[in-house]
Amino acid sequence: MATVIVHATITLDGFMAKEDGGVDWMFGRPSAPEDDAVVERVMSRIGAVVGGANKTQTIEDGEIPYGGMLKVPVYLMTHSAHEPIERDGTTYNFVVDDMNEAVRLATQAAGDGWVSLLGGTISRQCLRLGLVDELHLDVAPVLLGDGISLFAGLGRHIELERLDTSAFASEAHLRYRVLR
């Protein structure tokens, strides 16, 4: 059975992006082979992705999940129906206003792999609905001071169990199980 994860790179103060959505702070940091190995390990387990879309904006604007490196089914939440789109070996499926259905479809597609939830809105909704099994956070050593928070507005207390932590040249890698 698939494991549903929130997978995100965040700043030490909990932001995923600048106020304008910029993520340039993620790039150009020193890296170690161990950092790359953590990311590769996570990516090798991902069997499907759930994210958000405004019609097909995510695909058309080049905001392709994982930069297109993963060739797994992607389920995009939207408010209007759209036929699936296949691009560069990835099928983008559109799910209208039903997070439970998006996660169910992604879980089926992922098999024994992981379903990666992308974005703060999607992650918070799934946490509130009790659909998340684990959090996988890569914490960059930077403080933005303000921006788009991964968890702000969650509005719910959730207990976690630490599964794994590691830190190398560029990031601290944190993995937690959501306790139910």
Side-chain angles (χ1 to χ4, degrees), residues 130-178:
L131 301 174
V132 178
D133 299 307
E134 296 181 6
L135 304 179
H136 294 237
L137 304 175
D138 300 311
V139 183
V142 61
L143 300 169
L144 290 182
D146 206 359
I148 300 171
S149 172
L150 180 57
F151 298 116
L154 178 60
R156 184 171 166 207
H157 178 100
I158 296 175
E159 290 288 332
L160 306 172
E161 173 189 10
R162 185 181 62 82
L163 297 175
D164 188 35
T165 57
S166 59
F168 305 104
S170 67
E171 298 171 333
H173 309 281
L174 311 173
R175 183 174 166 212
Y176 295 96
R177 177 180 295 122
V178 175

Side-chain angles (χ1 to χ4, degrees), residues 49-69:
V49 172
V50 175
N54 180 4
K55 296 187 181 174
T56 62
Q57 180 179 355
T58 299
I59 302 165
E60 292 171 359
D61 289 350
E63 293 181 20
I64 298 171
Y66 293 96
M69 295 186 316

